[in-house]
Amino acid sequence: MLQSMRQATKSWAARGVIIILALSFGAFGINDVFTGGSRSAVATVGDVDVPTVLFDRQFQRALQRERERSGRPDLTRDEAHRAGLTGQVLNMLVREYLLDAEASRLGLRAADASVMQELEGSPAFSNEQGRFDPELYDLVLERNNMTRAEYEDLIRVDLLRGQLLNAVGSDRKVPESLIEAVHRYRAEERSARLALVSARGMTGLAEPDEAALTAYYEANTASFMAPERRSAVVVQLTPEAMVSEIELSDEDVYAEYEARIDEFDLPERRSVVQINAQDEALIREGAQRLAEGELFDVVADDLQRRGASVLPIPDFRADGPLSSVSEAVFRLAEGSVSDPLQTAFGWHLFKVEEVVPARRQSFEEVKQALHDEMALDLAGAGLFRLSTVLEDELGGGASLEQGAAVVGVEPVMLLGVTRNGLDRSGALALSDLSERDDIISLLFQTAEGRESHLTELNDGSFVILRVDEVAESAPRPLEGVRGDVRSALMREAEREAAERVANTLADRVREGEDLAAAARDAGFAVTTLENVRRDGQGAGPDASLALIRGLFEASESEREPIVAETAGGWGVAVLTGVNDAGRGATGEERDRLRERLARAWRGDLTEVYRAALYGRHQISVNEGTLSALFSQQN
């Protein structure tokens, strides 16, 4: 039935993701998998060819990423090629193929048993019992247009690369002396006195004239840009849009009801009132008073005045947050009160107000909700058909608005939307559409005057849009941002003035004055920094990283004042103490450092190994093949 169909769909979706991941690591794989019938190569690494088709595929992926990163959906292949993207992609492929060339030189091959172990451990090919299913394996590969030999060759390549890197970067014993030296460096602590010179407190600054405003604006135009805005028509196909077209008879709905009958069984539940307190004695006193005949409400009110809480629970369930005492509560008759019971929330008394017996919901009770759920499921299943109708209409020359009318969807108009999804009023555009972030991204990937591809989104809906207008990012006129320019110019003047004051304070310290006294005379606050580490731990909000670096570069004997910019202005610090972490690392600290150093060591070794492979294997680039790839039309 529909429930099992939904589960199967989810399972296939998960398996599809896993296969895509497998293909992505295989994209750097062996020669012949992606080459079809062609043997041409863009490069040769040792005795291994880098296939042209593989290079072109990786270039297209890199080009798409660059279009998204730069905000230039119209960036052409040739422009990216001339900007150096070709070399980046080729270097990435050569880096991986060097491992293949080295494996070939050493005569290494991944054993069939290792490949089988990888397959048997993959959830993509596991049945409901979690075991490898050969039929499912073949079916998944068929859906991805791959043979067993091709996919297993990809696994062999990945295994060999991993084995080579693991052999080089396998665990090495980290010297204890290195661990201790790193610990002492990281754990060293320094203390200081710090005078804070706030930029906001600067006075006597001249008001900038028109020439200054104009000069600052022209030098910092990039800070006063109006964002790129786009206007478009958006059509989104969702299951909800098709629900009204779905016809289901009562017989259809009843058949689903019968198939899922266990879902409509409601367990016994109880309506209870609890008295809860952390004080066991208080709860036991209440239980005693109830046993002696006092009314529950009277006892509850009194205990509540003395610190207990009284809370009705109209739907007490066995699997709820008080499940640890549910068995005792469900043994109680209606109107009776429990003994004192303890849970993680303290001590309780429960009175059962009402017992609602277990029952099965009737078909009439759930008919409408079940109908709506089935209609939504069927609408989702028919959504692909609806998308093909829309594509056929557009392919036949219909406008996006006309195509939307045919499939019964109301287009959404976007006017002047920015990359962060705001319209000209500052409101969030498309706030009522699902997957709005992906739609905004598609909006900025589509060229002006063009329609996007009909794109399936993560929630299963389809979207297509037409970009009608692009207002490029441009400088706002000075008249429109004069206040912002003045504020920025004044902030800069304030910080420059604060820097001059900080340097004056530092000069007074160098001449022998105490920092605290000099700062007080000038009207600035002085704080104490205690046990600050190089990473800023213990520094608090007043000390910047630049100031902390200065503290650790300062000589304890010279006590030279440190002047550095802070979040609110400038700071002047004088070193007052050094704790050199001489106690040594504890066992736990030592273990953490050992693991971090070993990991860094492994990374360094594998990078050195990769670099050595460049000198061991000859690399030749087929410039003619590369040129041919970019001589075609973009």
Side-chain angles (χ1 to χ4, degrees):
M1 300 308 291
L2 286 175
Q3 182 70 10
S4 60
M5 289 169 62
R6 281 194 296 273
Q7 294 301 323
T9 301
K10 291 177 182 177
S11 176
W12 272 111
R15 285 170 176 146
V17 169
I18 293 168
I19 283 296
I20 290 170
L21 291 174
L23 288 172
S24 68
F25 80 67
F28 298 117
I30 58 174
N31 291 1
D32 299 323
V33 172
F34 294 108
T35 58
S38 173
R39 294 280 178 179
S40 62
V42 292
T44 301
V45 182
D47 59 357
V48 180
D49 288 340
V50 180
T52 300
V53 172
L54 172 57
F55 169 83
D56 196 45
R57 179 171 299 190
Q58 292 304 314
F59 185 89
Q60 281 299 119
R61 290 178 179 173
L63 176 60
Q64 185 58 37
R65 288 194 298 270
E66 183 59 26
R67 285 169 174 167
E68 294 173 3
R69 186 198 66 78
S70 65
R72 282 198 55 197
D74 57 344
L75 181 67
T76 66
R77 285 171 56 92
D78 187 56
E79 288 173 329
H81 169 60
R82 287 186 278 107
L85 190 61
T86 300
Q88 294 177 26
V89 173
L90 192 57
N91 287 338
M92 177 182 65
L93 288 170
V94 167
R95 175 181 166 86
E96 297 305 315
Y97 270 72
L98 280 167
L99 296 173
D100 300 345
E102 181 66 3
S104 175
R105 185 185 74 84
L106 296 172
L108 300 179
R109 178 178 171 79
D112 291 342
S114 298
V115 174
M116 195 62 205
Q117 185 177 2
E118 287 290 316
L119 291 174
E120 291 176 346
S122 171
F125 312 124
S126 298
N127 57 24
E128 298 299 330
Q129 290 72 44
R131 289 190 288 271
F132 176 71
D133 186 335
E135 292 183 2
L136 178 59
Y137 176 42
D138 288 333
L139 184 59
V140 173
L141 291 183
E142 180 183 347
R143 286 172 178 251
N144 287 274
N145 297 315
M146 296 187 72
T147 67
R148 282 194 175 198
E150 289 171 343
Y151 184 68
E152 289 166 17
D153 278 340
L154 294 178
I155 294 178
R156 284 190 175 87
V157 168
D158 192 59
L159 286 172
L160 279 177
R161 291 174 179 174
Q163 288 169 2
L164 282 173
L165 294 178
N166 288 337
V168 173
S170 58
D171 290 341
R172 299 284 196 277
K173 182 175 175 58
V174 179
E176 294 299 313
S177 58
L178 177 60
I179 294 174
E180 187 61 31
V182 172
H183 164 72
R184 291 172 70 91
Y185 179 83
R186 291 183 174 181
E188 180 184 343
E189 297 173 341
R190 296 199 167 199
S191 301
R193 302 297 299 277
L194 171 63
L196 295 171
V197 180
S198 172
R200 288 290 180 91
M202 295 298 101
T203 60
L205 301 178
E207 185 70 22
D209 58 18
E210 187 64 24
L213 290 173
T214 302
Y216 187 87
Y217 170 79
E218 292 176 350
N220 298 276
T221 302
S223 301
F224 305 103
M225 300 287 285
E228 178 182 339
R229 292 184 178 274
R230 294 188 169 216
S231 299
V233 178
V234 179
V235 174
Q236 186 179 25
L237 307 180
T238 64
E240 289 79 7
M242 290 189 64
V243 165
S244 60
E245 300 181 17
I246 303 299
E247 295 183 2
L248 287 169
S249 67
D250 286 354
E251 290 76 13
D252 293 331
V253 181
Y254 187 77
E256 182 71 6
Y257 172 77
E258 285 289 315
R260 297 165 52 184
I261 194 67
D262 291 344
E263 294 181 28
F264 309 112
D265 288 338
L266 299 178
E268 178 184 327
R269 63 180 179 83
R270 301 190 168 210
S271 176
V272 305
V273 177
Q274 71 157 336
I275 305 173
N276 172 229
Q278 295 297 319
D279 186 353
E280 178 184 359
L282 191 63
I283 294 298
R284 291 198 178 279
E285 177 193 326
Q288 180 64 34
R289 291 167 62 181
L290 291 169
E292 293 172 353
E294 287 193 57
L295 294 176
F296 183 86
D297 289 346
V298 173
V299 173
D301 287 345
D302 182 50
L303 296 186
Q304 188 171 31
R305 283 192 296 270
R306 295 162 60 189
S309 63
V310 179
L311 179 69
I313 307 177
D315 189 16
F316 187 96
R317 295 178 179 270
D319 58 352
L322 296 171
S323 58
S324 61
V325 295
S326 62
E327 185 177 347
V329 174
F330 273 83
R331 284 199 301 264
L332 297 173
E334 191 171 300
S336 60
V337 180
S338 71
D339 293 330
L341 299 171
Q342 186 181 21
T343 72
F345 303 99
W347 287 85
H348 309 256
L349 289 173
F350 295 95
K351 179 186 178 184
V352 177
E353 297 282 329
E354 181 185 9
V355 175
V356 182
R359 71 181 186 89
R360 173 168 290 170
Q361 292 173 286
S362 70
F363 175 63
E364 289 302 322
E365 288 180 275
V366 300
K367 175 182 174 181
Q368 188 58 50
L370 193 54
H371 175 280
D372 293 345
E373 181 185 344
M374 293 172 66
L376 192 60
D377 280 347
L378 291 171
L383 201 58
F384 180 76
R385 177 184 59 79
L386 191 67
S387 71
T388 60
V389 172
L390 177 59
E391 284 191 310
D392 288 344
E393 290 295 321
L394 298 177
S399 68
L400 192 53
E401 292 87 347
Q402 291 168 335
V406 169
V407 297
V409 175
E410 187 70 27
V412 176
M413 309 299 294
L414 296 181
L415 297 175
V417 174
T418 64
R419 287 183 183 276
N420 56 8
L422 300 179
D423 62 21
R424 294 189 183 279
S425 69
L428 199 62
L430 302 176
S431 58
D432 56 342
L433 295 189
S434 62
E435 305 295 331
R436 64 171 303 278
D437 290 344
D438 288 339
I439 298 175
I440 296 295
S441 177
L442 185 63
L443 171 66
F444 279 84
Q445 293 171 23
T446 306
E448 184 175 11
R450 302 290 297 275
E451 287 180 358
S452 69
H453 295 297
L454 185 63
T455 304
E456 185 173 7
L457 303 178
N458 291 329
D459 64 350
S461 65
F462 291 83
V463 69
I464 185 170
L465 56 84
R466 183 187 69 239
V467 177
D468 291 333
E469 182 183 3
V470 175
E472 300 287 352
S473 176
R476 293 186 176 98
L478 176 57
E479 286 306 313
V481 294
R482 184 178 298 277
D484 294 336
V485 173
R486 178 196 173 278
S487 296
L489 193 54
M490 291 302 293
R491 285 195 300 271
E492 188 172 290
E494 287 172 344
R495 297 193 75 84
E496 290 174 353
E499 182 181 10
R500 289 193 294 270
V501 172
N503 283 318
T504 299
L505 275 180
D507 288 340
R508 292 175 64 177
V509 172
R510 293 185 186 99
E511 292 169 0
E513 283 193 62
D514 177 69
L515 175 63
R520 279 195 299 270
D521 288 347
F524 299 109
V526 177
T527 61
T528 300
L529 301 178
E530 294 286 354
N531 302 323
V532 177
R533 293 195 175 187
R534 294 176 191 272
D535 60 2
Q537 181 180 331
D542 295 331
S544 63
L545 289 177
L547 191 142
I548 293 169
R549 280 197 300 271
L551 279 180
F552 280 88
E553 292 169 358
S555 166
E556 188 176 9
S557 59
E558 295 180 5
R559 302 297 172 107
E560 170 70 13
I562 299 105
V563 180
E565 194 169 10
T566 65
W570 285 77
V572 182
V574 174
L575 185 66
T576 59
V578 175
N579 173 7
D580 66 358
R583 63 175 176 81
T586 65
E588 186 177 340
E589 291 171 329
R590 193 175 291 274
D591 289 343
R592 283 199 301 268
L593 273 176
R594 182 180 291 107
E595 174 57 31
R596 289 173 185 169
L597 290 171
R599 189 164 53 244
W601 201 336
R602 287 194 295 271
D604 290 344
L605 285 173
T606 54
E607 286 306 309
V608 170
Y609 176 65
R610 284 180 180 274
L613 293 181
Y614 279 92
R616 177 172 294 168
H617 296 281
Q618 183 175 355
I619 301 168
S620 59
V621 177
N622 190 333
E623 297 290 352
T625 300
L626 278 176
S627 298
L629 282 173
F630 298 100
S631 63
Q632 305 164 3
Q633 275 197 326
N634 294 300

